[in-house]
Amino acid sequence: MIQKHQRLLWTLESLVTGRAVREVRDRDVPLAQQLLQYHATQAYTQEEALSGWEPMGVIGLIVPPTFSLLEMMWRICPALAVGCTVVVLVPPASPAPLLLAQLAGELGRFPGILNVVSGPPSMGRVLASQPGVQKVAFCGDIQEGQALRWTLAGLGPELGLALGAESVMLLMEVADVDSAVEGVVDAAWSDRSPGGLRLLVQESVWDDTMRRLRARMGRLRVGRGLDGAVDMGTRGAAARDLAQHYVLKAQSQGAQVFQAGDVPSVSPFFPPTLVCDLPPASPCAQTEVPWPLVVASPFRTAKEALAMANGTPRGGSASVWSERLGQALELGHRLRMGTVWINAHGLRDPAVPTGGCKWSGSSWHGGLDGMYEYLQPSGTPARMPYFCENLNYDTFGLAVPSNVPAGPETGPSSAAPYGLFVGGRFQAPGTRSSRPIQDSHGNLHGYVAEGGAKDIRGAVEAAHQAAPGWVDQSPGARAALLWALAAALERRESALTSKLERHGVEFKAAKVEVELSMRRLRAWGSRAQAQGPCPQAAELRGPVLRLREPLGVLAIVCPDEWPLLAFVSLLAPALAYGNTVVLVPSGACPILALDVCQDMITLLPAGLVNVVTGDRDHLTRCLALHQDVQALWYFGSAQGSQFVERASTGNLKPVWVSRGCPRAWDQEAEGAGPDLELRAARTKALWLPMGD
């Protein structure tokens, strides 16, 4: 149907969005057809690969005014392929999506699988809060994504965010400068680019690159999108005003601005713009670069370039330009971006996942990763609202409840009263106080430290210090440490079983919990050993490496039930995928986790695992609001889940909450299922195109 009506589609798309019809005709529409063909094939052939998964149900998709039809297709196709139905909210006067829905309706067999609603942005929150919507996929700017996440906290649907459109380009001194200049044009000054570009150029080739770039800018043609001869159209008054505002701010902060062509101030067009000499400490240096701007900065060494590229809170896409393949691969691997191209920019393929990290969101489209976005483990109950009207965000977990009896002063001890396990050793909490832990009969079992905000800050800092060394460990080394930890648990089997019995667990069940914990560690060790880059074939010549990279510093708040098994089941996948961990153990029985930490002193690198005990709500608040915690898993109350979803909007960290629902940790599907594997790491696509 798209092929039959392709002329009408590309004309409508260019007419409404202002994009050059050449880009829509030659790139967007053919790629949309490839997306349909790829996902139709996957829906037919991947039944075995996707066994154990089921479609989520109704998906809400919210797109901004600047969104293209192609970007909408990237999200609609996988959702429909796995069996979901979709409701898309598009801005008013968006005829291309409405035409697409009409064409889908004319197929006749499954009415209602694709629904398009035209309305203002304010309707997005209405759509997201509708009963029955199981997931909301939002594409737009960062501030709108933060506002939507705040609004949806506690309402039930999962939220997938794809935010911002800025990309980064690293141009090394051994790069082919002419090819890199054409890459800049594709990345920022063609209508295939959704956003601006941050260009980092090595000092030795800075002058030559700027000269060639200005010369190439002078040959760009700007005009109305329906003119088949133009390179760059217009994105409307809002995009023009945003670019102009950025330019004026950059000039006020000392930047030099070069613009190609002479565009009248009242024109809807904005010329290709190059911004140079922007001071690194200026606000514009950290602000997202809008279309069609290129902000260029020099660097001296590859290490400095990495620091500059990774220093922004956004992590969408980047490219590395270097004739030394080893150097390019090393830089591409160390960039904290969702998609990295080597000596190319902006390549897309239906079989290759595309996504981001940090503020750019954590959702994916393309390949199997895009299909998993709309799947859930079989048997997962429907997501229902768990909104707590009486939850006070300002006071939740603000202080330790006064009704908790205080224990004796706690020192840096690995025996009762236990200290906190931070930085590879037991240490006293900042409060120097402890809390009593009682067994199932109400008798005193021991004392654990009363951790607070200062201790969380120390634990997060220790985890960050341990991260570089742990990330560089080979999969085999990670596996060996997990197996060694399993052996340590085996040596403590009798003592751990006895302590579980004291907390009301029958002997047989306690023994099973300890044995399952050892088995989980060994299983995740085997999975860690099997890790490695997964080559994928793309239609363009050259492989694409699908990498699974750690989230970074992962905070975990364990459930009260299954105090040992849940602790191990959450810790093991986090370590297997290279994360460093700050963990709050079971509030009812934290002593088991602290006993395991005694073996970690000699087995694990310092700071790799940090265990903080204390009031769960207070520690959860500290972790959710901490801007250097890069992901958070929370298994506790509905109120705590709602607070975590809302409080973590500051740095848009990925969160996984239990919504107050218990989890069967002794069952393989829930205690060691594939969803743990998916959530413990993020995907990164590293493109290695061949040829000129």
Side-chain angles (χ1 to χ4, degrees):
M1 296 294 283
I2 286 183
Q3 187 172 7
K4 180 180 178 181
H5 298 86
Q6 58 182 340
R7 184 180 296 274
L8 178 58
L9 275 171
W10 77 54
T11 302
L12 286 174
E13 180 76 359
S14 177
L15 184 65
V16 173
T17 65
R19 298 172 62 227
V21 69
R22 184 177 61 185
E23 289 288 346
V24 181
R25 179 192 62 208
D26 298 341
R27 176 179 177 268
D28 288 16
V29 173
L31 188 50
Q33 296 179 45
Q34 293 173 28
L35 281 167
L36 287 168
Q37 294 166 359
Y38 170 80
H39 286 97
T41 303
Q42 293 299 307
Y44 182 75
T45 61
Q46 291 296 326
E47 184 175 354
E48 183 177 345
L50 299 178
S51 61
W53 296 85
E54 63 184 15
M56 285 185 172
V58 179
I59 307 298
L61 174 60
I62 305 172
V63 299
T66 56
F67 219 57
S68 67
L69 176 67
L70 176 63
E71 293 299 327
M72 190 177 77
M73 293 291 291
W74 276 104
R75 289 148 179 90
I76 289 175
C77 290
L80 296 179
V82 300
C84 295
T85 56
V86 183
V87 179
V88 187
L89 175 64
V90 299
S94 300
L98 293 170
L99 174 60
L100 183 67
Q102 179 183 339
L103 296 178
E106 289 178 3
L107 297 176
R109 294 188 61 188
F110 303 102
I113 60 172
L114 176 60
N115 310 273
V116 177
V117 180
S118 178
S122 58
M123 286 183 61
R125 300 182 186 183
V126 178
L127 170 62
S129 59
Q130 289 300 303
V133 174
Q134 298 297 296
K135 178 166 185 171
V136 175
F138 174 79
C139 314
D141 66 39
I142 293 170
Q143 290 74 23
E144 290 177 349
Q146 289 174 318
L148 185 62
R149 185 162 176 176
W150 179 276
T151 302
L152 286 185
L155 295 183
E158 186 175 314
L159 180 61
L161 297 174
L163 306 177
E166 176 189 280
S167 57
V168 178
M169 180 181 291
L170 274 63
L171 200 158
M172 311 305 292
E173 61 184 356
V174 291
D176 181 343
V177 177
D178 285 330
S179 297
V181 167
E182 292 303 316
V184 173
V185 173
D186 286 341
W189 297 323
S190 72
D191 276 342
R192 70 182 61 177
S193 168
L197 176 70
R198 195 171 295 277
L199 175 64
L200 306 178
V201 183
Q202 200 151 14
E203 278 186 346
S204 56
V205 292
W206 169 264
D207 292 336
D208 185 35
T209 302
M210 293 300 104
R211 177 181 57 79
R212 299 191 195 195
L213 198 54
R214 290 188 179 99
R216 182 66 178 88
M217 290 172 66
R219 298 195 298 272
L220 291 172
R221 293 161 296 184
V222 180
R224 299 193 178 277
L226 289 176
D227 184 347
V230 303
D231 299 302
M232 195 174 79
T234 177
R235 302 286 175 90
R240 179 200 61 203
D241 294 344
L242 180 63
Q244 184 63 40
H245 178 68
Y246 186 97
V247 167
L248 293 176
K249 282 184 63 178
Q251 287 177 320
S252 69
Q253 294 166 16
Q256 301 295 318
V257 176
F258 175 79
Q259 292 183 321
D262 186 15
V263 177
S265 58
V266 295
S267 168
F269 305 104
F270 196 85
T273 303
L274 177 64
V275 179
C276 303
D277 301 328
L278 188 64
S282 63
C284 278
Q286 292 298 315
T287 305
E288 183 176 6
V289 179
W291 178 91
L293 273 60
V294 173
V295 176
S297 304
F299 65 87
R300 291 184 295 274
T301 64
K303 184 177 180 180
E304 183 184 356
L306 273 177
M308 294 171 69
N310 290 334
T312 69
R314 296 165 296 280
S317 60
S319 61
V320 180
W321 296 77
S322 173
E323 294 295 289
R324 295 176 185 165
L325 184 58
Q327 180 190 56
L329 287 173
E330 176 71 13
L331 290 171
H333 179 69
R334 295 193 176 277
L335 281 169
R336 292 204 69 229
M337 301 284 172
T339 305
V340 178
W341 299 277
I342 303 298
N343 294 324
H345 199 100
L347 303 180
R348 306 287 290 274
D349 189 276
V352 179
T354 302
C357 61
K358 299 187 284 189
W359 282 11
S360 296
S362 54
S363 64
W364 291 87
H365 51 273
L368 284 179
D369 293 85
M371 299 177 75
Y372 281 123
E373 285 288 315
Y374 307 102
L375 291 168
Q376 61 188 7
S378 298
T380 302
R383 290 172 173 81
M384 302 298 292
Y386 57 96
F387 189 81
C388 304
E389 294 284 354
N390 59 347
L391 175 62
N392 189 324
Y393 288 94
D394 295 328
T395 60
F396 177 86
L398 190 60
V400 178
S402 58
N403 60 349
V404 176
E409 182 174 305
T410 300
S413 172
S414 59
Y418 293 88
L420 305 174
F421 185 69
V422 176
R425 61 187 179 88
F426 283 91
Q427 62 184 43
T431 60
R432 288 284 177 177
S433 63
S434 64
R435 61 169 48 209
I437 301 299
Q438 297 176 336
D439 61 20
S440 59
H441 300 291
N443 299 320
L444 181 66
H445 188 182
Y447 292 94
V448 298
E450 188 68 66
K454 180 180 178 181
D455 304 302
I456 289 293
R457 290 195 296 270
V460 173
E461 183 179 352
H464 272 287
Q465 291 175 354
W470 185 240
V471 169
D472 288 339
Q473 290 287 331
S474 67
R478 294 179 198 161
L481 286 176
L482 289 171
W483 291 332
L485 194 56
L489 254 67
E490 189 172 10
R491 291 191 293 270
R492 289 182 178 270
E493 182 176 3
S494 177
L496 293 172
T497 301
S498 176
K499 289 184 178 181
L500 281 170
E501 282 188 278
R502 286 196 62 179
H503 282 268
V505 182
E506 294 182 358
F507 173 77
K508 186 176 181 180
K511 192 170 182 62
V512 167
E513 182 170 351
V514 177
E515 290 175 352
L516 269 176
S517 300
M518 294 185 292
R519 195 181 308 162
R520 293 273 163 85
L521 285 167
R522 294 188 180 106
W524 282 108
S526 299
R527 295 188 194 183
Q529 192 176 38
Q531 290 175 23
C534 177
Q536 289 188 234
E539 289 196 3
L540 298 165
R541 289 191 302 161
V544 180
L545 298 182
R546 177 183 177 271
L547 308 174
R548 295 288 287 165
E549 295 191 336
L551 302 171
V553 175
L554 171 59
I556 302 174
V557 181
C558 295
D560 281 339
E561 65 272 12
W562 300 96
L564 178 62
L565 183 58
F567 168 79
V568 168
S569 298
L570 291 167
L571 177 65
L575 296 182
Y577 278 96
N579 300 287
T580 54
V581 179
V582 177
L583 191 143
V584 178
S586 164
C589 185
I591 293 176
L592 290 164
L594 294 170
D595 282 345
V596 176
C597 290
Q598 296 181 37
D599 294 306
M600 294 182 185
I601 296 175
T602 56
L603 292 176
L604 302 184
L608 177 58
V609 177
N610 307 273
V611 178
V612 181
T613 55
D615 181 71
R616 285 167 55 83
D617 288 347
H618 179 58
L619 298 178
T620 297
R621 180 185 184 89
C622 297
L623 291 169
L625 293 173
H626 202 300
Q627 299 302 296
D628 288 333
V629 171
Q630 292 160 316
L632 174 57
W633 296 351
Y634 176 84
F635 294 87
S637 66
Q639 282 193 339
S641 298
Q642 183 178 336
F643 177 84
V644 165
E645 288 189 325
R646 180 167 287 190
S648 59
T649 57
N651 65 347
L652 288 172
K653 62 174 72 72
V655 297
W656 182 22
V657 298
S658 64
R659 300 176 171 87
C661 301
R663 193 175 178 93
W665 295 101
D666 58 328
Q667 301 299 313
E668 192 72 15
E670 296 193 32
D675 55 336
L676 276 161
E677 197 167 358
L678 283 176
R679 293 181 184 272
R682 61 181 180 86
T683 300
K684 178 178 182 177
L686 184 60
W687 289 72
L688 305 171
M690 297 187 297
D692 296 332

